[in-house]
Amino acid sequence: FLVSGHTESQLLGDLLITIGGVLALVLGLYLLLNKIAAPVLHVFTLEHNREMAILLAIIISIGSAWTAHRIGISPAIGAFIAGMLLGSSPFASQIRVDVSSLRIIFLTLFFSAVGMLADPMWIGHNFIFIALLTIAIMLLKTVVSFAIFKVCDNSIAVAVASSLCISQIGEFAFVLSNLAKGAHLLSDDLYQIIISVTIVSLFITTFLIKSG
């Protein structure tokens, strides 16, 4: 794959530039939300100008996705970074309240689209393997999560309940696996394994959350 030292240096340089761009994006969004937008929007009092928080969220999300694309990474990752920072911003509670109805629509569209990625016939032919792999991954993640919660001095009840609720494979796996498949880093079978196990784990978690 690497044919010369020049190619290695070029790849390393591109990687460092990408990492630097991501760090700059995160830092820029953090400063924008917490040091600039917070004091400016405080003047407008969000209680009487609730549309300001929504406009901020839309601008930040689209801007972050566009910036990520410009620096050579997936726009989905840029939107993901924006979502994390918005979720910890001073406007997080207001944004969650105002977009709650839209969130239901987008979640429905997202999981409908995700369901189309899976091949039911393939899952049926490899059901035992998918089931065992899903159980193994979720069990491992539950044990690791439980240990982390206990180290953070949580009660056993909280540690067990929280570990069950986050035992699934995160939905961001769909984005990463799709990018990897597009870059020819995953075979069709391995891609189907990741997609199938993720979908099954998300389905099982709906029952685990109730138990938790």
Side-chain angles (χ1 to χ4, degrees):
F1 183 97
L2 301 177
V3 295
S4 67
H6 175 72
T7 303
E8 292 179 4
S9 300
Q10 186 178 16
L11 289 175
L12 180 59
D14 291 342
L15 177 61
L16 293 176
I17 292 174
T18 301
I19 293 175
V22 172
L23 294 176
L25 176 61
V26 173
L27 179 60
L29 288 177
Y30 174 81
L31 294 176
L32 176 62
L33 287 171
N34 295 276
K35 302 301 181 182
I36 300 176
V40 170
L41 292 184
H42 180 70
V43 177
F44 293 98
T45 60
L46 293 181
E47 294 81 3
H48 300 93
N49 297 274
R50 298 180 63 174
E51 68 276 4
M52 296 297 293
I54 298 299
L55 290 174
L56 174 69
I58 294 174
I59 292 172
I60 292 295
S61 300
I62 295 177
S64 179
W66 179 82
T67 303
H69 173 70
R70 294 292 297 175
I71 63 178
I73 61 177
S74 169
I77 296 178
F80 178 73
I81 294 173
M84 289 194 302
L85 292 175
L86 283 170
S88 59
S89 70
F91 321 106
S93 298
Q94 187 67 58
I95 292 173
R96 289 192 188 99
V97 171
D98 290 337
V99 304
S100 58
S101 56
L102 292 176
R103 182 178 61 180
I104 296 174
I105 297 174
F106 286 134
L107 281 175
T108 302
L109 291 174
F110 173 78
F111 284 108
S112 298
V114 163
M116 296 177 185
L117 295 175
D119 185 348
M121 295 298 295
W122 190 93
I123 295 177
H125 292 152
N126 300 274
F127 179 76
I128 295 178
F129 172 72
I130 294 298
L132 292 176
L133 183 58
T134 302
I135 293 172
I137 292 175
M138 296 184 71
L139 181 61
L140 176 61
K141 189 173 181 182
T142 300
V143 171
V144 172
S145 299
F146 176 84
I148 293 174
F149 280 112
K150 286 302 296 176
V151 168
C152 294
D153 201 27
N154 290 282
S155 66
I156 293 179
V158 171
V160 171
S162 302
S163 300
L164 289 174
C165 291
I166 62 173
S167 60
Q168 77 281 0
I169 300 175
E171 57 271 19
F172 202 62
F174 297 121
V175 177
L176 295 178
S177 59
N178 190 51
L179 290 174
K181 185 172 183 287
H184 306 291
L185 299 176
L186 294 178
S187 64
D188 290 338
D189 285 340
L190 185 54
Y191 175 74
Q192 279 299 328
I193 290 174
I194 296 174
I195 294 297
S196 302
V197 172
T198 302
I199 291 176
V200 173
S201 71
L202 287 170
F203 179 78
I204 294 175
T205 306
T206 59
F207 300 98
L208 293 180
I209 289 176
K210 183 178 180 180
S211 300

